[in-house]
Amino acid sequence: MIFQINFKSGLPVYLQLVEQVRTAVASAALSPGDPLPSIRPLAEQLRVNRNTVAKAYAELESQGVIETRAGRGCFIRENQSPLRKQVRRDMLVAEIDQAIVAAHHLQLNNQEFLKIVEDRLTHFEERQRTHRNEKDPQP
Amino acid sequence: MIFQINFKSGLPVYLQLVEQVRTAVASAALSPGDPLPSIRPLAEQLRVNRNTVAKAYAELESQGVIETRAGRGCFIRENQSPLRKQVRRDMLVAEIDQAIVAAHHLQLNNQEFLKIVEDRLTHFEERQRTHRNEKDPQP
Amino acid sequence: MIFQINFKSGLPVYLQLVEQVRTAVASAALSPGDPLPSIRPLAEQLRVNRNTVAKAYAELESQGVIETRAGRGCFIRENQSPLRKQVRRDMLVAEIDQAIVAAHHLQLNNQEFLKIVEDRLTHFEERQRTHRNEKDPQP
Amino acid sequence: MIFQINFKSGLPVYLQLVEQVRTAVASAALSPGDPLPSIRPLAEQLRVNRNTVAKAYAELESQGVIETRAGRGCFIRENQSPLRKQVRRDMLVAEIDQAIVAAHHLQLNNQEFLKIVEDRLTHFEERQRTHRNEKDPQP
DNA sequence: GTGGTCTAGACCACC
DNA sequence: GTGGTCTAGACCACG
C-alpha cells in the first residue's frame, strides 16, 4: 500500500490519509481483514508525526472503515454501514451535488456529465476486478 | 452563479469559494466583465460570515482573477483564458471519483448511484429554470 | 456546567469528559443549542491540556452529540441518531448486559435489579423535569 | 463465574477482570477457597491474550484477593468480607445509569428500555439453566 | 513490537 | 476570541 501526501494542498494531512484508505477500500485494493501499515513506520515513511497518522486511523475507526486492536494493529473491517438508508442516501446526495455544481462551473452539460460518471463507474469496477484477481488468482 | 460550500471537507470555506470562482472563470462559465454576487447576499445565502466572503474576494483580487471597483462591486478581469475541454473533464473526474468512493462506503450500488445522479441533475435543471423565470418572467 | 475529573480512575480523561457531557444531555442539564464551555478556559479549569479537551469534543462530535463551528464554539445538537434501529438496539443490549452481569456479581436478584432500574428511570425523569423548569420557568 | 469484557470502554481489559472478580468476592458470589477459572480456557472464552488474564490474576494476588498455588490454580483467599446490601446497590446504580444515558442517545424510550432489560434478564436466566444442566445433568 | 493517552507549544483559519 | 492541525516527546497498556 502506497500513500502519497501533498503538503501544499491545504487539505489536512490526516484527511488525505483517510481519503486514500477509503478509496483503496472502495477499489478493492484493500479488503476486509487486510492490515494497514503500522503507525510508526508509516509516519516515518511519510515524514509526518506519529500522532498525525494515529489521528487518521482514529477517524477511519470512528467511520467504521477499520478496526484497531491495541497491541496488534489496524485492519480493514467488513463494510456494514450502521446508518439508516435515508441518511446514507442524503450523504451521497451531498457528494453528488458537489460534483454537479463543479460540472456546471466547468461548463460541462448533463450529457457529458453522465458520460463521465458511467466511465468512472466502469473504471472502478475494472480496478475491483483486477485487485480481486491479484489476491485470488484463477489458474 | 451557483456556489456550494462543504463545511466538513476540511478545506477552509474561503478557499472553496476561491476555487469555485477560478473554476468557473477557467471554463468560461464566467467571462471578463461579468459581475460577482455582492458580498452580503452571498454570505447570507451560503450561511457564512461576510468576512469570509470578503476574504475570498480579496484573495481572488490578489491573484488577478477579479477586480473590485469601489462602490460598484467585483468583476471578472480580462485575459482569463478558458481551459481545454480535456483539462476540464479531468478536473471533474476527481469530484466524481470522490462521490463513487462515498457510495461504496454507504453501501449504495451502481444502479442506485446512477438513479440519484439522474434525480439530482433533474433537480438542478428545475432549479435553474425557476431562477431564470424569476429574473426573466415569461408572461 | 461543572465537570469533575478523576485522575486516578484509569479511565482516560477525555472519555470522562465525554461521559459527563452525554449524561448532562440525557438528563436535560444541557439541551440542543446550548453552548459547551470553550476549550481553553475549560482545560485551564480542569488542569488538563487543551488537546485533551479538544479530543473529548471531537469524540462527541463524531458521536453526533455536539456540533462544532470553528471560530464560534461547540453546541449541543438535536438528538437524531442516524443509526438503524436494530443497530441502536444492539448497542443498548451491550450496555444492559454489562449491568446485568454486574448485578449477578453483586448477588442482587432479578427482582432487585428491576426495582433499581425503575428507580433510576424515575430519577432521570425527575431531573429532566427539574432542568426543563429551570430553563423555561412557568409563572 | 460469568465475565464480560467491554473492549471499547477505554478501561484496560485486565483491570476489567480484576474489578469483576473483586466485585464477585465483595458480594459473596465467590467465597474463600473457591477456585477461579484457569487462565487458558478463560482467555479463549473471552478472546483475549493469556498474558492479559495472567496479569489480572497477578494483580489480584498482589492485592491479597486471591492466592495461586503452583500447579493447582488460583483460589479466593480468606478474610474477604462481603459488603452490605446498600453498598452493593450503590455500585450497581452507576452501571444502570450508564445504560440509561446510552438509551437516551440511542433514542430508545423508557418502555423500550424496560422491554430490553426484561428480555436480557430472561436470556441470562436461560443461559444459566443451560450451564447448570451441562454440569449437573438431570437424567 | 503494537496502538493509546497526555503534555507543551507553534501556527493557522475563522468570527 | 473561537476551534483545528501538526510537531515532539514521554509514558502506558497490550501481545
Side-chain angles (χ1 to χ4, degrees):
Chain A
M1 192 59 210
I2 296 167
F3 294 105
Q4 199 68 291
I5 299 302
N6 178 352
F7 291 97
K8 287 182 267 179
S9 79
L11 195 63
V13 173
Y14 85 99
L15 284 181
Q16 293 183 44
L17 265 176
V18 166
E19 201 48 51
Q20 288 183 38
V21 172
R22 285 172 62 89
T23 302
V25 172
S27 59
L30 289 174
S31 312
D34 285 357
L36 269 71
S38 308
I39 291 182
R40 285 167 224 235
L42 181 56
E44 262 185 47
Q45 181 200 322
L46 299 176
R47 311 292 199 89
V48 300
N49 190 276
R50 194 160 80 75
N51 293 339
T52 303
V53 177
K55 185 168 186 178
Y57 283 13
E59 174 69 19
L60 285 164
E61 170 149 52
S62 88
Q63 288 180 12
V65 176
I66 70 173
E67 158 176 45
T68 91
R69 281 173 264 175
R72 298 180 53 189
C74 299
F75 305 83
I76 305 295
R77 275 181 60 168
E78 207 58 59
N79 187 0
Q80 277 274 23
S81 174
L83 301 174
R84 289 198 303 261
K85 181 125 192 179
Q86 184 58 43
V87 172
R88 287 181 279 144
R89 197 186 174 286
D90 289 349
M91 291 171 76
L92 186 54
V93 162
E95 290 286 344
I96 288 174
D97 281 4
Q98 206 171 318
I100 292 176
V101 168
H104 284 197
H105 291 170
L106 291 163
Q107 298 278 85
L108 294 163
N109 65 34
N110 288 359
Q111 196 185 334
E112 292 166 312
F113 182 82
L114 266 174
K115 175 72 170 56
I116 300 177
V117 167
E118 283 158 11
D119 281 0
R120 298 310 295 171
L121 283 173
T122 309
H123 174 83
F124 268 86
E125 276 173 4
E126 182 57 37
R127 275 168 73 185
Q128 286 172 3
R129 248 196 309 280
T130 309
H131 286 133
R132 293 206 173 108
N133 286 344
E134 280 171 4
K135 288 178 185 176
D136 181 23
Q138 307 291 333
Chain B
M1 190 64 200
I2 298 172
F3 292 104
Q4 177 108 341
I5 300 300
N6 181 348
F7 289 99
K8 293 184 207 155
S9 79
L11 206 61
V13 173
Y14 85 101
L15 281 182
Q16 292 184 44
L17 270 175
V18 167
E19 197 50 45
Q20 289 185 38
V21 171
R22 285 174 62 91
T23 302
V25 170
S27 58
L30 288 174
S31 312
D34 284 355
L36 284 161
S38 355
I39 290 182
R40 279 185 205 210
L42 181 56
E44 269 181 40
Q45 180 202 322
L46 299 176
R47 311 286 200 89
V48 300
N49 192 284
R50 284 204 300 271
N51 294 336
T52 305
V53 177
K55 185 163 188 178
Y57 282 11
E59 177 68 18
L60 282 164
E61 176 151 42
S62 88
Q63 290 182 10
V65 177
I66 67 173
E67 63 187 326
T68 79
R69 300 181 213 157
R72 298 178 48 199
C74 300
F75 303 84
I76 307 298
R77 283 184 53 172
E78 302 289 337
N79 295 326
Q80 306 293 337
S81 58
L83 299 170
R84 287 186 9 254
K85 190 145 198 168
Q86 183 57 41
V87 177
R88 289 187 273 144
R89 188 188 177 287
D90 291 348
M91 292 172 72
L92 187 55
V93 163
E95 294 284 346
I96 289 175
D97 280 5
Q98 204 173 325
I100 292 175
V101 169
H104 174 271
H105 287 280
L106 294 168
Q107 294 192 286
L108 296 163
N109 63 35
N110 287 1
Q111 194 185 335
E112 293 170 305
F113 183 83
L114 274 172
K115 174 73 171 56
I116 297 177
V117 167
E118 284 158 12
D119 281 0
R120 299 308 295 171
L121 285 173
T122 310
H123 172 263
F124 274 93
E125 269 175 12
E126 182 59 38
R127 198 168 116 187
Q128 285 201 318
R129 242 198 313 282
T130 311
H131 283 176
R132 266 201 290 272
N133 287 347
E134 278 170 5
K135 288 180 185 171
D136 181 20
Q138 307 291 334
Chain C
M1 192 59 208
I2 296 167
F3 294 105
Q4 198 68 291
I5 300 301
N6 178 352
F7 290 97
K8 286 181 267 177
S9 80
L11 196 63
V13 173
Y14 86 99
L15 284 181
Q16 293 183 43
L17 265 176
V18 166
E19 202 48 50
Q20 289 182 37
V21 172
R22 284 172 62 88
T23 302
V25 172
S27 58
L30 288 174
S31 311
D34 286 356
L36 268 69
S38 308
I39 291 181
R40 285 169 224 236
L42 181 57
E44 262 186 47
Q45 181 201 321
L46 299 176
R47 312 293 199 87
V48 300
N49 190 274
R50 194 157 85 72
N51 293 338
T52 303
V53 176
K55 185 168 186 179
Y57 282 13
E59 174 68 20
L60 285 164
E61 170 150 52
S62 89
Q63 289 182 10
V65 176
I66 70 172
E67 158 175 49
T68 90
R69 282 173 262 174
R72 297 179 56 189
C74 300
F75 304 84
I76 304 294
R77 275 182 60 170
E78 206 59 58
N79 187 2
Q80 276 276 21
S81 174
L83 301 173
R84 290 197 304 261
K85 181 124 192 180
Q86 185 58 42
V87 173
R88 287 182 278 143
R89 196 186 174 286
D90 289 349
M91 291 171 76
L92 187 54
V93 163
E95 290 286 344
I96 288 174
D97 280 4
Q98 206 171 319
I100 291 176
V101 169
H104 284 196
H105 290 170
L106 290 163
Q107 299 277 85
L108 294 163
N109 65 34
N110 288 0
Q111 196 185 333
E112 292 167 313
F113 182 81
L114 267 174
K115 175 70 171 57
I116 300 177
V117 167
E118 283 159 11
D119 280 359
R120 299 309 295 170
L121 284 173
T122 309
H123 175 83
F124 267 87
E125 276 174 4
E126 181 57 36
R127 276 168 72 184
Q128 286 174 3
R129 248 196 309 281
T130 309
H131 287 132
R132 293 207 172 107
N133 286 345
E134 279 169 6
K135 287 178 183 175
D136 182 21
Q138 305 293 334
Chain D
M1 189 66 201
I2 299 171
F3 292 105
Q4 177 107 341
I5 300 300
N6 181 348
F7 290 98
K8 293 185 206 149
S9 78
L11 205 61
V13 174
Y14 85 101
L15 281 182
Q16 293 184 43
L17 270 176
V18 167
E19 197 50 46
Q20 290 184 36
V21 172
R22 286 174 61 90
T23 301
V25 170
S27 57
L30 288 175
S31 312
D34 283 357
L36 283 162
S38 354
I39 292 183
R40 278 186 203 207
L42 181 56
E44 270 182 40
Q45 180 202 323
L46 299 176
R47 311 283 202 92
V48 301
N49 192 284
R50 284 203 299 270
N51 294 336
T52 304
V53 176
K55 187 165 186 177
Y57 283 10
E59 176 69 19
L60 282 164
E61 174 151 43
S62 88
Q63 289 181 11
V65 177
I66 67 173
E67 62 187 328
T68 80
R69 300 181 216 159
R72 298 177 49 197
C74 301
F75 302 83
I76 306 298
R77 282 183 55 170
E78 301 290 337
N79 296 326
Q80 306 292 336
S81 59
L83 299 171
R84 288 190 5 259
K85 190 145 199 168
Q86 183 57 41
V87 177
R88 289 185 273 145
R89 189 188 177 286
D90 290 348
M91 291 171 74
L92 187 54
V93 163
E95 292 286 344
I96 289 175
D97 280 3
Q98 205 173 323
I100 292 175
V101 168
H104 174 270
H105 287 280
L106 294 168
Q107 294 193 286
L108 295 163
N109 62 35
N110 288 0
Q111 195 185 335
E112 292 170 305
F113 183 83
L114 274 172
K115 175 74 170 54
I116 297 177
V117 168
E118 283 157 13
D119 281 359
R120 299 308 294 172
L121 284 173
T122 309
H123 173 262
F124 274 92
E125 268 175 12
E126 181 61 36
R127 199 168 116 187
Q128 284 200 319
R129 242 198 312 281
T130 311
H131 284 176
R132 266 199 289 272
N133 288 346
E134 278 169 6
K135 289 181 186 170
D136 182 21
Q138 306 292 334

